[in-house]
């Protein structure tokens, strides 16, 4: 399997928090702030965007483990930056660090994420 993923690879993307991202909308809480699962989805989207085209077409990358600390609230309309970093790989496993910031560079969430490369037709 030929992959073009080397430790140190980095990718960032800005997002606007929408009403759909809020805990109150997702019914994971009563507050009108971004739900932790919404931030996780945004982080996974950045990783998937980063690895697109870097793995064989007959492979995909699936989530295996996520550790996250959600440190600050984010409201609908707020802009955030999600930054991911490929820390290392081990056979078919990829290990990432990530951080999500607001525009004042405050840390909204940090964490680690493990993904596994799998053949699409065998998954």
């Amino acid at each position: 399997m030929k992959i073009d993923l080397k430790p140190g690879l980095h990718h960032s993307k800005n997002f606007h928090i929408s009403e759909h991202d809020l805990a109150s909308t997702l019914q994971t809480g009563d507050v009108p702030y971004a739900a932790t699962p919404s931030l996780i989805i945004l982080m996974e989207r950045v990783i998937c965007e980063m690895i697109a085209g870097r793995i064989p077409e007959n492979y995909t990358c699936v989530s295996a483990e996520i550790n996250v600390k959600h440190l600050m609230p984010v409201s609908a309309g707020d802009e955030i930056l999600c930054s991911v970093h490929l820390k290392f790989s081990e056979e078919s496993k990829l290990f990432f660090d990530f951080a999500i910031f607001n525009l004042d560079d405050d840390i909204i969430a940090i964490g680690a994420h493990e993904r596994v490369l799998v053949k699409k037709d065998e998954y």
Side-chain angles (χ1 to χ4, degrees):
M1 168 175 51
K2 182 181 189 269
I3 61 169
D4 183 22
L5 296 170
K6 305 225 183 319
L9 191 62
H10 178 269
H11 188 60
S12 296
K13 186 170 185 171
N14 287 65
F15 294 95
H16 283 91
I17 298 298
S18 76
E19 294 288 329
H20 301 288
D21 298 317
L22 304 182
S24 53
T25 302
L26 295 174
Q27 299 177 353
T28 62
D30 301 11
V31 294
Y33 299 107
T36 304
S38 294
L39 298 179
I40 291 168
I41 289 169
L42 297 177
M43 173 272 302
E44 287 193 281
R45 285 174 52 194
V46 175
I47 289 174
C48 289
E49 187 176 287
M50 180 175 75
I51 66 172
R54 295 178 180 270
I55 60 175
E57 286 186 27
N58 61 329
Y59 277 79
T60 190
C61 195
V62 297
S63 183
E65 182 177 354
I66 298 173
N67 297 299
V68 61
K69 289 187 181 198
H70 189 164
L71 304 167
M72 287 184 65
V74 185
S75 301
D78 287 352
E79 187 174 350
I80 61 170
L81 172 71
C82 180
S83 182
V84 299
H85 168 259
L86 178 58
K87 195 162 140 180
F88 69 97
S89 61
E90 182 179 277
E91 297 177 12
S92 63
K93 297 177 183 177
L94 304 171
F95 298 88
F96 299 89
D97 287 329
F98 69 92
I100 299 174
F101 304 91
N102 63 18
L103 295 185
D104 293 328
D105 287 330
D106 297 319
I107 299 173
I108 303 302
I110 57 171
H113 183 45
E114 177 186 342
R115 295 184 74 83
V116 179
L117 295 169
V118 296
K119 282 188 173 182
K120 290 179 185 179
D121 61 354
E122 294 176 7
Y123 186 67

